[in-house]
Each structure stands twice: as structure tokens, then as C-alpha cells.
Amino acid sequence: MIRAENLSFTFGDFIVEDISLTVAPGESFFILGPSGAGKTLLLEILLGIKPPKSGRIFLNSTDITAAPPEKRGVAYVPQDLALFPHLTVEGNILFGMKEWGPQVQKRLDRWVELLNLGNVRKRRDVSTLSGGERQRVALARALIREPRVLFMDEPFSALDVSLRRRLQLEFRELQRNLGLTTVQVTHDPEEAFLMADEMAIMIGGRIEQVGTPNSLYNNPANRRVASFLMLQNLFFATVKGKTSEGLLDVRTNTDTLLVDDDGGHEVGDEVYLGVRPEEIILVRSERVEYHKETPNFFFGKVTGWVDLGHYRLVNLRVGEWVVESWLNIRAAREFPMSIGEEIGFHIRPGSFCLLPSEGERS
Amino acid sequence: MSSRGLTLFLGVAVAFAVTFVAGLLAVELGYARPGDLAAALKNGELRHAIFLSLTTATIAATLALLAALPVAYALARHQFPGSFFVDLLLDLPVVLSPVAVGVSLLLLLRTTPGRWIETHLISFIFETPGIVLAQFTVALALSIRVLKAAFQEVDVRYEQVSRFLGLNGWETLLKVTLPLAKRGILAAFILAWARSMGEFGATVTLAGAVAGKTETIPVAIYLRMASVDITGAVALIVLLSLFSLTALLMVRLLVRAR
């Protein structure tokens, strides 16, 4: 287990204060955030490459804040992998093994098999390896020493998309089967959602929220997390009352919405209502009559759309709001629409999340 | 936009520089035929000068490299209070007039610790070790410069990864940094050696121009000219030029093979 307590550090003008986090044994933990959020810096502090200004880091219950890297028993795979160009593939994998013997040979064979490196293990020049092979050699080199925690800095980012996805899935499998404790940094939410058991959202040098992928996806803590996780539809509103069905009656400037009561809001509270584009349910014209009494049914004017491979992103204007909606590309083919046309849509009361207004409105 | 004028201008400038430097070499051959040069090199005194230059330059370059390695590594990897000024100061012997370096060395050996070394340990003034010391001084600064660049080219990530693979700072230096900086280190040695081979000003000031004793190739050239032995001087110049060209060629090949 790794635990960081009240870490503060500065790098030039960049200040990070009071970061605390805990990574459970066997967990895949991600630090996710946009570029420039200080993620790599935090990773380097956790690793001990850079010293924190204050705060402490524990591995299991040992304070390792001041321990030199080689005494920490953790492994590090940097973004560029840093395979040693002057060593062979086996020389790289065995770099951290101080003595040679049947035990080490056994371990080498095991990791070569686990990481599927059989056909490249005898290569003399690591620069002849493909991106995926380099990746796996770097992992073998780190894992053969059986580290207590594996730290990785965007190790999949240099791979092309299809290979990246396959290796991410393979690595997740491996991590779960072996019960590896891993801490990874990424700017790619998809990567984190795919591989994380738990993740911390870091924006502008602050950890905004920590939680499971599901909880972060469904209940972002604030507008910054929501926007980063592609929750584009955010509307300022006020809680006006509670209905007999246990729903909140929430009003924007122009409309009234019924929203599931999350138990955290009182009448009079100002909130941001968030709803994901995929939660906007478009209604075909012949079904409008049937849906007219459905809660949160509106008409929106189509202002444009873009086809993004497997889905279509449609912009609808409702009064002063612009609502973004995703439509599965197959459904989109069977859904005639034209610019300026009025389309009906509805949003289920359970599809909303309520975010604190934090005293601002836009 | 037409750039014919510019192309012409650049062509003339390059042609001038090449003609000038090649002319410096060619003019030597006008004073002596290859046969004369070979004959001159059979002279015992010249042979001694060549042997002396080769040995002193090799010793000086080796010592300079050994002294420069830790300094260059420290400057390449660490920012410490005053590192900017240390860097600046250590560059000085590269650009300072060699005669000034020689005089400074002479004065240094006249201080109390200097005198003690001179009487009890090793005598430099007008002696062969003086040649090595003079060459070492100018080669050291050059080695630090070249080695620092070589270490800076080694990505610090390799060292970090090595540490996390359980190697301490010393082991990382030996197993990662030095092997990765190998070509740069070799280039630094060759440049230090070539600089030592050509060293004259500091050598002549500290070790003097004692014929047959502290007579390196450059000193020998100077002495031949003073005694109007043009053939002898030219033979040594041609030889020195060959050494220097070979050294430069090796450095280029090392850099390109990177």
C-alpha cells in the first residue's frame, strides 16, 4: 500500500499544495488530468525523483519520503520507456538482477512468457523492436524484480490507437491476475476508465476528486471535473421544491425540470445541472405525441451535427441553452434531421447530476 | 526571389577559406619533396621530438580526461550555488593565451606549496613533467567542455530508471552513464590529445625549449626555424598536420556514428 500525506511542492512558478492519497494493495490507481495539471510532477514526488517541500510518503507503513530510489522497492516505467540502447533485450530485462543463477533464469523465462517476448528475447539491438515489443520489454525489466508498486507515466501514449487499446487490455488482465499495485499517470480519460480501479482527478495542481471510475463518471464533484470528463451539458438552476414522488423540482431561467433527489440539496439551493450527451433521448416525430407527457420533454432546434465515427454529436438549441446529444451512428442513419428542424427529446430524472454552483453562474 | 547574388557571394567566401587553408598545407610541400621529408625524419633529434610529443600528449590527455570526468558530470547533472561561475572559470584556459597559462603555472610553482612540490615530489620547471603539466592545463578545460556536452546528451531518464532497478549512484554511473557517453568520452580524449600535441606557448614558458630534452614537435619546429633548417621544420609541420587531421577525422566519425 502506498500513502501520501499532505504533500506540497513547487516547480518554478507551479505550486502544488496539500496532496493526500492512498493506493490500496493490488489496486490499479490512476492520476488523471489535463496537460499541465502537475501529474508527472506528482508522480516524480511519489517516486522520490524530486523531493517534496513538505509532507510524507509511506510504503506499507514505512516512511520512504527520504529513501533513495534504489532502496524503495518500487519500479518505474517512464513515458519514453528508456530502454538501455547499449544493452540487448535480455540485458535490459536482467539489468536490475544483481546475480545470475537458476532462480533468475526461471524468473526470466516466466516473464518472457507472461509478456509474450519469446520471439524477441535474443535480439541484440533494442532499437529494432516495435512499439509494443519495447513496451513489454520495459514492463519485463520492471516486473522481474517483483516491485511492491509499479509506477508508470503514460506508457501507452506513444503507441498507435489500435495497438494501444489491445495492450491496455492485456496489461489490465496481467495487473489483475498478478495483483500488482500500480500507479499510472494519464491525460486520457478513456485509458483511465478502461484500466483504473480507483482514480484521482488532478486539475491545476489540485486533486479535485478521488473515486472509482463509475462514481466519477456518474457523480463528478464539481464543474471542473465534469468538464474534464466530457460532461458538456451544464445548466445553472435553482431547487424550487420537492414533489410527492421524491423528485426535485429544479428551474433554469426558462424551464422546469424534474430531477432525482440525491439527498444533498434543499429548496432554494443554487446548483449546476449536468447531463451527459448520451443521456439525451431524441424522439422521432411520430413518437412525439406518445412522449408529450413524459417528464423533462422539450423541443430543440437542430443547429448542426458532426459524425464522429461510431456516433453523431447533435447540437440542439432550447431557449438560451445549447444541448449536446449523442446518437449512435446506426440510429442516426435512421433518424432524418435537417438544420433548423425542431426535434423532441427527453431526459430521465435519474440522468442528471447536481453540482455545487460555487457562487458563480454562467 | 532571386538569390543568385547570395549564392555567388557564399561560393566565393567558401572558395577563399578552402584555398587559404589548403594553401597553408600545399606551400609546405613547395619547400621539400617527400623524399627530403622522409630523410629529415630519420634525424635522431626530430625522432626524439616526435616520441616526446606522442608520449607527453598521451599522458596529459589521459590525466586531463580522468580529472575532467567527475567535474563535467557534476556540471552536466547538478545545479549548485555558484555552478554558473565554476563553469565560466573552468572555461578560461580554453581561450586564455597559452603563454599566460605558462607564466601562471610558473608563478604557481614559485609559491610555498609549489616550491615544496618542485623540491620533494616532482620537478616541472625546465623538465619533461613541465611539458605534461602545460599540456594538461590546456587539455583539462577542453575536456571538461566536451565531456559536459557528452553527459548532457545522456537522457537523465536512463539514470532514474537504473536507480529504480536497484542500482545505486555509483553503479548507475558505471553501468549506464559512462557506456552511453562512450563516444563523447572518446571524442574528448582525441581532442585533448590533439590540443596537447600542438601545445607550444605554455610548454615553452614552463619547460623551456631545451634541445633534445624538452623539445616537443612544436618546440622543434620553432628551433628549426631559428636555425634556418626549413626542411626539418616543414617535415615536422607536415607530420603534425597529419596527426591533427587524423584526430579531427576520428572525432567526426565518432559524432556521426551516434
Side-chain angles (χ1 to χ4, degrees), chain A residues 183-199:
Chain A
V183 177
Q184 295 193 60
V185 155
T186 186
H187 65 271
D188 175 8
E190 274 192 30
E191 178 168 284
F193 280 109
L194 189 68
M195 299 170 76
D197 294 318
E198 183 102 348
M199 55 206 224

Side-chain angles (χ1 to χ4, degrees), chain A residues 54-109:
Chain A
S54 61
R56 293 195 298 171
I57 302 158
F58 296 90
L59 185 60
N60 298 331
S61 46
T62 318
D63 186 340
I64 57 160
T65 316
E70 65 270 22
K71 300 268 186 244
R72 293 184 169 219
V74 305
Y76 170 44
V77 177
Q79 194 166 3
D80 58 6
L81 307 175
L83 293 184
F84 299 118
H86 60 301
L87 299 176
T88 62
V89 167
E90 283 197 352
N92 265 281
I93 299 174
L94 292 169
F95 186 82
M97 305 306 288
K98 295 213 167 164
E99 60 258 357
W100 177 252
Q103 285 301 319
V104 177
Q105 176 71 53
K106 225 169 164 184
R107 271 209 224 177
L108 173 65
D109 293 342

